[in-house]
């Protein structure tokens, strides 16, 4: 069921500083900051050869990242994203085992314009997991 690692999302208190570290120190390919108001984040995409790192910063008062940064003021890993080929089949398999899908349970269009679901961190060793259909 599970495919490639698509990205690791890291919440950061200072997006410019984090982007500069990846670009200038690690020599990574780093995008310009992009506002994703539907997701309440400003994001910088760091493209690695086998996956992406997404540096997330809150955008707007109701950003889902804001509380996380309050609890983790230095920043931290927010979620990991795995690719699946059929998100509805993946959901059925998870739900059949009693695993929890966050929100409405319906796939929503994620930051890359593709359907995503988020899985409850308490079912996954404290890790928020995003599934993205590719
Ligand atoms: Co993500």
């Amino acid at each position: 069921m599970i495919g490639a690692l698509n990205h690791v999302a890291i919440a950061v208190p200072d997006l410019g500083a984090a982007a500069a570290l990846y670009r200038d120190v690690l020599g990574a390919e780093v995008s310009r900051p992009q506002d994703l108001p539907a997701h309440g984040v400003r994001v910088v995409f760091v493209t690695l050869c086998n996956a992406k790192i997404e540096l997330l910063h809150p955008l707007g008062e109701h950003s889902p990242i804001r509380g996380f940064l309050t609890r983790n003021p230095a920043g931290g890993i927010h979620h990991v994203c795995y690719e699946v080929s059929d998100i509805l089949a993946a959901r059925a398999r998870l739900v059949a085992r009693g695993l929890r899908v966050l929100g409405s349970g319906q796939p929503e269009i994620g930051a890359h314009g593709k359907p995503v679901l988020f899985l409850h961190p308490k079912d996954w060793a404290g890790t928020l997991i995003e599934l993205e259909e590719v």
Side-chain angles (χ1 to χ4, degrees), residues 36-37 39-42 56-69 78:
L36 302 175
H39 300 283
V41 294
R42 176 171 292 157
L56 303 178
H57 191 73
L59 179 69
E61 278 308 304
H62 303 292
S63 171
I65 306 302
R66 198 169 288 284
F68 182 90
L69 276 178
H78 184 263

Side-chain angles (χ1 to χ4, degrees), residues 22-34:
Y22 276 83
R23 184 184 58 235
D24 300 338
V25 180
L26 296 180
E29 180 187 330
V30 172
S31 77
R32 291 174 178 279
Q34 296 176 32

Side-chain angles (χ1 to χ4, degrees), residues 21-96:
L21 262 183
Y22 276 83
R23 184 184 58 235
D24 300 338
V25 180
L26 296 180
E29 180 187 330
V30 172
S31 77
R32 291 174 178 279
Q34 296 176 32
D35 286 354
L36 302 175
H39 300 283
V41 294
R42 176 171 292 157
V43 60
V44 166
F45 297 101
V46 180
T47 304
L48 308 178
C49 65
N50 58 346
K52 290 183 287 295
I53 304 295
E54 295 184 2
L55 304 174
L56 303 178
H57 191 73
L59 179 69
E61 278 308 304
H62 303 292
S63 171
I65 306 302
R66 198 169 288 284
F68 182 90
L69 276 178
T70 300
R71 294 189 299 277
N72 304 275
I77 293 179
H78 184 263
H79 65 268
V80 298
C81 177
Y82 303 127
E83 297 179 354
V84 295
S85 57
D86 182 337
I87 202 160
L88 294 179
R91 182 183 66 183
R93 187 167 163 145
L94 292 159
V95 169

Side-chain angles (χ1 to χ4, degrees), residues 6-9 54 56 78-81 111-112 116 118 130 132:
N6 185 278
H7 63 269
V8 176
E54 295 184 2
L56 303 178
H78 184 263
H79 65 268
V80 298
C81 177
H112 313 117
V116 302
F118 283 92
E130 179 180 21
E132 180 174 288

